[in-house]
Amino acid sequence: MRFRRASLAALCCAATICCGASLAEAQAALPSLTSQRAATPFSVDFTAEGIDAATWAQDSPTLTQLGLSLAGGLEYTTPISVPIRLEVGYIGVSTSSIASDGELYRAWDGARFALLMGYTFAPLSLEGLGKLKMSLLAGGALTAAEYTHTALAYAYPSIVLEPRALLALNGIFGADSGPYLTLPVELMFRAGNHTLAPGLGLGFRYRIIGSN
Amino acid sequence: MRKMNTWLLNLGLAAFVLAASIASTACTQNASSITSKRYALVYGVSIYNNDKGEGESFPITVDGVNYTSKNLTYSDNDAVDMTNLVTQQGWTVYSRVWGGNGDSTSATPPTKSQMVNDLADIATKADADSTVMIYFSGHGDVESGTSYIIPYEGIYPTTGTSALELANCVSPANLSSMLSILPTKNIIVIFDTCYSGGFVDSGSAIDSSPSSYASMQSYSAFSTAMEKFGSLLVANASASGSKTPIVLSAAGSNEYSYDGSGNGVFTGYLLDAATNGDSDSDGYVTMTEAYAYTAKKIKSWDEANSYSVYPFLPHLSGGTRDLVLFTD
């Protein structure tokens, strides 16, 4: 019981921050659930993410911008635990805070397309609950955007680093399906300025099952 | 392998923690007030030909061809009202208004040379954190594809049969040269003239609103971004992030703007934006909010008047930066 409580706490309190060191010792204590049908290497997911971004430019202040991202993903996992992920979504970021000289950064919103690759680590067993699967993804994104409430269109590239922890619950959804927590960091290169956007996302992944 | 897993995971976590701490600690909080100095050069010209009153026509030659122009009715009101508004908001104002009915606010008319002098004076007082605004309401023109604003004496001489005197008008290149002496990057330009969209630089963005809205066609920034994704990415890659002025124009580069009722249509809504344009209710009306408010109002005005005038739309320059224009 104590172990279960500790496992849940580790998940809820940004499991990825706490369990990195313990992951090396993790043993798959429970056998994974087997499905009557074979799982394909493909999975789909949906993520909602809050963003707390910082934008800066040369000779301009660093100012915060809050945002929201909604994304759908299609992931292919290779036999060597290397996921390749295609992500399509919406991003909306608010007007920044205002500097004392009256300068600020505009809000923007747009469609974001990302391609990520990474590694899925050996699962950490959560006794009686399921498995915690950690992944680390990295890649690039392209965003077609508008400055919110204007007629101005623009586009920008970005690089992404994305740790994620998926909780595969025993007996529910299947072995590689379940809710996950993600802590992506994105560095955007926007019209000569930079935006560093760490986020906290929650999502659900479903491993596609093939037919018999 | 497990050690490698742990190392990779910790690396990712460290990157996130670092990024989060940068975002949370390096950022400036919302300013409780604008503490920097703010200077406004507010020019308005209704009377170009002193033989005539407000709204009256007079003969003019342009490139040897005879036309009829007319004095404006409300450009002087625009500048007077803008002067009053920004003075109340703590700006140091250089107001030069030339109009009928005793509306002139300065013995010195709002000419191009006076604009140069006033900006030179502001340059001696402003510092790197100051905000400088240049507001002009009056006639505008486009010659050989270049937009001009027409200060007093831009139509010269000021009596009898006048001619368009481009040397006394201000082009985008002239304006850029004038502004280059200012010690600050925080520069606001607002022009309520015909063809003023020629002063708006969209930078690495694309302005999806048409330069001539005469057909009142629909447009969408997001659709434009999707359609021109590749070229926008190329433009973004070459963007320098240079601190160009943030420009708000009453009309597109191929459009007229109009006198309204008491003020120019655009300036009337711009003045209204000071009290009703704060869309996020943070106590500040930014240039983007002022644009959004005036664009929405003028679209409605266009629809209501589409059978009597050519529709027009305001335009806003591109870039990630914005500046506070008004405070609530």
Side-chain angles (χ1 to χ4, degrees):
Chain A
M1 184 63 182
R2 217 173 68 186
F3 183 80
R4 181 181 296 182
R5 193 177 300 161
S7 301
L8 283 169
L11 178 68
C12 296
C13 302
T16 48
I17 294 174
C18 308
C19 65
S22 62
L23 188 65
E25 286 75 41
Q27 300 286 336
L30 293 177
S32 60
L33 292 176
T34 54
S35 171
Q36 294 299 316
R37 294 177 293 171
T40 71
F42 293 97
S43 61
V44 291
D45 58 62
F46 178 82
T47 310
E49 177 197 334
I51 298 167
D52 181 8
T55 298
W56 71 95
Q58 190 176 6
D59 300 326
S60 286
T62 301
L63 300 170
T64 50
Q65 298 185 270
L66 298 176
L68 172 72
S69 167
L70 302 172
L74 174 65
E75 191 169 305
Y76 171 76
T77 302
T78 66
I80 53 171
S81 298
V82 174
I84 300 170
R85 175 177 172 75
L86 185 64
E87 198 173 283
V88 179
Y90 162 86
I91 182 171
V93 178
S94 71
T95 303
S96 77
S97 51
I98 300 172
S100 60
D101 66 352
E103 187 175 3
L104 67 156
Y105 298 106
R106 286 175 175 158
W108 81 91
D109 57 272
R112 178 179 173 278
F113 308 89
L115 182 62
L116 305 170
M117 286 183 67
Y119 185 73
T120 299
F121 300 92
L124 173 66
S125 176
L126 307 175
E127 191 176 343
L129 186 64
K131 288 186 293 182
L132 189 64
K133 292 191 169 184
M134 312 290 292
S135 300
L136 183 61
L137 298 158
L142 298 173
T143 302
E146 62 178 4
Y147 293 111
T148 308
H149 301 312
T150 77
L152 296 164
Y154 77 114
Y156 63 88
S158 52
I159 54 175
V160 185
L161 183 66
E162 185 173 325
R164 65 169 56 196
L166 180 139
L167 180 64
L169 297 168
N170 286 340
I172 308 174
F173 307 130
D176 290 317
S177 301
Y180 58 82
L181 176 76
T182 178
L183 299 170
V185 182
E186 186 163 346
L187 179 60
M188 306 164 184
F189 305 94
R190 302 191 307 118
N193 293 7
H194 295 86
T195 297
L196 183 66
L200 173 62
L202 292 171
F204 185 84
R205 169 178 148 156
Y206 177 72
R207 181 80 175 260
I208 298 172
I209 306 295
S211 57
N212 285 321
Chain B
M1 188 61 173
R2 279 186 179 166
K3 279 196 172 180
M4 176 65 81
N5 291 354
T6 306
W7 185 85
L8 281 171
L9 190 61
N10 286 337
L11 178 68
L13 296 172
F16 174 79
V17 171
L18 178 66
S21 64
I22 290 171
S24 61
T25 61
C27 299
T28 306
Q29 296 303 305
N30 246 25
S32 56
S33 62
I34 308 300
T35 57
S36 60
K37 298 173 187 170
R38 314 188 87 199
Y39 299 91
L41 188 152
V42 180
Y43 278 30
V45 184
S46 280
I47 301 295
Y48 286 88
N49 187 307
N50 291 320
D51 290 340
K52 303 290 183 181
E54 287 185 348
E56 292 184 351
S57 300
F58 57 87
I60 183 173
T61 60
V62 179
D63 289 336
V65 181
N66 295 322
Y67 294 94
T68 298
S69 185
K70 69 173 188 175
N71 288 330
L72 295 167
T73 305
Y74 297 125
S75 285
D76 54 337
N77 297 16
D78 290 346
V80 168
D81 293 343
M82 184 61 71
T83 296
N84 292 337
L85 175 61
V86 296
T87 300
Q88 286 169 12
Q89 301 211 341
W91 295 67
T92 301
V93 184
Y94 292 68
S95 180
R96 314 272 178 201
V97 182
W98 206 252
N101 307 319
D103 279 346
S104 299
T105 61
S106 164
T108 310
T111 61
K112 179 182 180 181
S113 59
Q114 188 58 45
M115 189 178 282
V116 172
N117 292 341
D118 284 341
L119 285 170
D121 193 60
I122 290 172
T124 64
K125 297 172 181 172
D127 58 34
D129 289 333
S130 299
T131 299
V132 177
M133 175 171 76
I134 295 93
Y135 170 89
F136 178 79
S137 178
H139 273 309
D141 193 23
V142 60
E143 294 295 327
S144 304
T146 300
S147 292
Y148 293 86
I149 59 166
I150 306 178
Y152 189 67
E153 294 184 348
I155 294 172
Y156 193 81
T158 54
T159 57
T161 299
S162 302
L164 182 66
E165 187 65 52
L166 287 181
N168 292 340
C169 299
V170 179
S171 68
N174 296 149
L175 181 69
S176 180
S177 175
M178 288 181 197
L179 298 178
S180 66
I181 65 167
L182 296 172
T184 178
K185 64 188 182 303
N186 299 335
I187 301 172
I188 289 169
V189 176
I190 301 174
F191 288 159
D192 187 354
T193 74
C194 299
Y195 310 111
S196 47
F199 287 83
V200 177
D201 179 5
S202 57
S204 59
I206 292 176
D207 187 349
S208 63
S209 61
S211 60
S212 176
Y213 187 52
S215 61
M216 296 178 70
Q217 69 268 42
S218 62
Y219 60 90
S220 159
F222 180 71
S223 297
T224 302
M226 293 298 286
E227 286 167 17
K228 302 189 175 174
F229 202 2
S231 57
L232 285 168
L233 284 168
V234 171
N236 182 78
S238 59
S240 64
S242 62
K243 307 301 185 290
T244 52
I246 298 176
V247 183
L248 175 57
S249 72
S253 58
N254 292 310
E255 289 172 344
Y256 299 137
S257 63
Y258 295 92
D259 267 336
S261 177
N263 288 107
V265 174
F266 167 77
T267 295
Y269 290 130
L270 182 64
L271 294 166
D272 193 30
T275 48
N276 297 315
D278 181 13
S279 60
D280 60 4
S281 302
D282 65 349
Y284 300 99
V285 179
T286 66
M287 286 289 281
T288 302
E289 286 175 317
Y291 162 81
Y293 184 83
T294 55
K296 180 182 173 187
K297 291 292 185 180
I298 290 174
K299 259 188 181 177
S300 298
W301 185 90
D302 285 335
E303 288 167 11
N305 294 278
S306 60
Y307 297 105
S308 57
V309 298
Y310 292 112
F312 70 108
L313 283 177
H315 289 253
L316 180 68
S317 56
T320 58
R321 294 174 67 239
D322 198 1
L323 288 167
V324 170
L325 176 61
F326 301 127
T327 52
D328 269 357

